Amino acid sequence: MIDPDRLQIIARNGASGDAAMESADPIIEVRNVTRIYPLSRGHVVRALDGLSLSIPRGSFLSILGPSGSGKSTLFNLIGGLDRPSSGEVRVDGVDLTRLDPEALAAVRCLKVGYIFQTYNLIPALTALQNVAAPMTFAGLTDSEAEERAVLLLEAVGLGKHLHHIPERLSGGQQQRVAIARALANRPSILLADEPTGNLDRRTGEEIIALLCSLREEYGVTLVCATHDLKMISFSDWIAWIRDGRLERLEHRSQVTIEEGHL
Ligand SMILES: Nc1ncnc2c1ncn2[C@@H]1O[C@H](COP(=O)(O)OP(=O)(O)O)[C@@H](O)[C@H]1O
Ligand SMILES: [Mg+2]
């Protein structure tokens, strides 16, 4: 057993995985994307600076990078929560930058499931109601939504906590509710932004294992932003981001995980 606290990641060689990724069937294509945030007095932040990335359908990609490197900004663009200053973001062949607000809302609701570090559940709603909400928003009847919400909560191991409000659940349990909610409208993509960032190590490992098994079961493409090196051993691809640029992209087979210090 490798001790996850002592993982050392060594790129076996500097070869980039770009060629292999380009040949696969991409579900997400980010092309030369820049996102500039205006600050006061004419200053700007280039949160993304000409980033391109193509993500094969059904794969598990981890995005690693220091705080402030642009991971959440990239997620917001892929998830249709934000638009780039320039460049293209294609999801299933559709350029999100050309969609009107209504069509973009449909992408957010139906194509992409979002999982946040801080769970972002609605505090006044039970687990069941939190998971059912996106389905009623998408047009299911209350009873249809509730029926599927029960199945999803059972799938994440919370069949006995259907009627708990978030504050009566542990962090790990809240994240399980958030994962069930993200799967509500049968998305083809799950975006998880540092999903284990607020959890202790053991709970974080359980959440990673859950995401991996759900990815298989539901056939989704999983994209995780993470500081968590354990995530790498489960990923197909690892994208390293720094200062809003793609620093390198490697297939799991190109990365050696060894015991030692980081
Ligand atoms: N709404 C915003 N307004 C101004 N600057 C922002 C905003 N959101 C993010 N930034 C800046 O953009 C850069 C990238 O941030 P972010 O995407 O949140 O990085 P990460 O998720 O990797 O920590 C940082 O310098 C951050 O301060
Ligand atoms: Mg972030």
Side-chain angles (χ1 to χ4, degrees):
M1 262 299 266
I2 296 170
D3 177 1
D5 279 342
R6 300 177 63 228
L7 294 179
Q8 188 177 32
I9 310 262
I10 303 163
R12 216 177 260 157
N13 53 46
S16 155
D18 295 32
M21 268 187 108
E22 270 169 24
S23 67
D25 170 27
I27 187 165
I28 299 166
E29 292 170 278
V30 176
R31 291 188 190 157
N32 200 20
V33 159
T34 296
R35 177 64 170 100
I36 297 170
Y37 291 115
L39 299 178
S40 59
R41 282 184 273 166
H43 293 282
V44 298
V45 179
R46 296 177 84 84
L48 295 176
D49 192 8
L51 188 139
S52 297
L53 183 63
S54 161
I55 303 177
R57 192 178 301 276
S59 63
F60 176 3
L61 174 87
S62 282
I63 298 181
L64 274 90
S67 182
S69 55
K71 302 183 295 297
S72 295
T73 303
L74 176 62
F75 272 36
N76 292 342
L77 298 178
I78 296 171
L81 297 170
D82 188 22
R83 292 177 190 270
S85 309
S86 63
E88 263 181 33
V89 179
R90 290 183 170 270
V91 171
D92 251 344
V94 176
D95 182 1
L96 301 190
T97 58
R98 291 173 187 272
L99 296 184
D100 63 32
E102 203 176 320
L104 201 56
V107 169
R108 283 198 299 270
C109 181
L110 301 173
K111 279 256 176 235
V112 183
Y114 229 113
I115 299 158
F116 303 89
Q117 179 174 351
T118 48
Y119 328 127
N120 292 17
L121 301 175
I122 300 173
L125 300 186
T126 64
L128 188 70
Q129 291 165 333
N130 264 287
V131 178
M135 292 184 268
T136 44
F137 186 68
L140 264 63
T141 64
D142 287 350
S143 63
E144 287 167 339
E146 225 172 77
E147 202 173 304
R148 179 161 164 81
V150 171
L151 292 178
L152 287 166
L153 284 163
E154 284 170 352
V156 299
L158 286 182
K160 293 202 167 79
H161 297 78
L162 302 177
H163 305 295
H164 288 53
I165 56 169
E167 72 175 18
R168 298 269 175 249
L169 298 169
S170 69
Q173 289 171 330
Q174 289 186 54
Q175 195 57 300
R176 285 170 188 266
V177 176
I179 292 169
R181 178 183 58 182
L183 289 166
N185 289 327
R186 306 174 198 273
S188 38
I189 300 164
L190 273 191
L191 295 178
D193 195 352
E194 309 206 22
T196 63
N198 274 23
L199 302 173
D200 63 67
R201 183 177 128 186
R202 219 190 86 206
T203 310
E205 283 173 8
E206 288 168 7
I207 291 296
I208 295 170
L210 176 66
L211 283 170
C212 289
S213 75
L214 292 173
R215 174 205 158 204
E216 296 268 321
E217 195 178 332
Y218 293 85
V220 291
T221 304
L222 177 58
V223 188
C224 275
T226 186
H227 289 300
D228 199 331
L229 295 179
K230 288 185 297 299
M231 205 81 102
I232 291 177
S233 51
F234 293 100
S235 313
D236 303 317
W237 295 93
I238 302 112
W240 310 78
I241 291 186
R242 185 177 292 273
D243 297 332
R245 294 164 190 242
L246 182 66
E247 195 176 51
R248 60 187 205 273
L249 178 65
E250 287 162 329
H251 190 262
R252 170 72 184 79
S253 61
Q254 292 176 290
V255 175
T256 311
I257 302 176
E258 290 182 359
E259 286 200 74
H261 297 286
L262 266 182

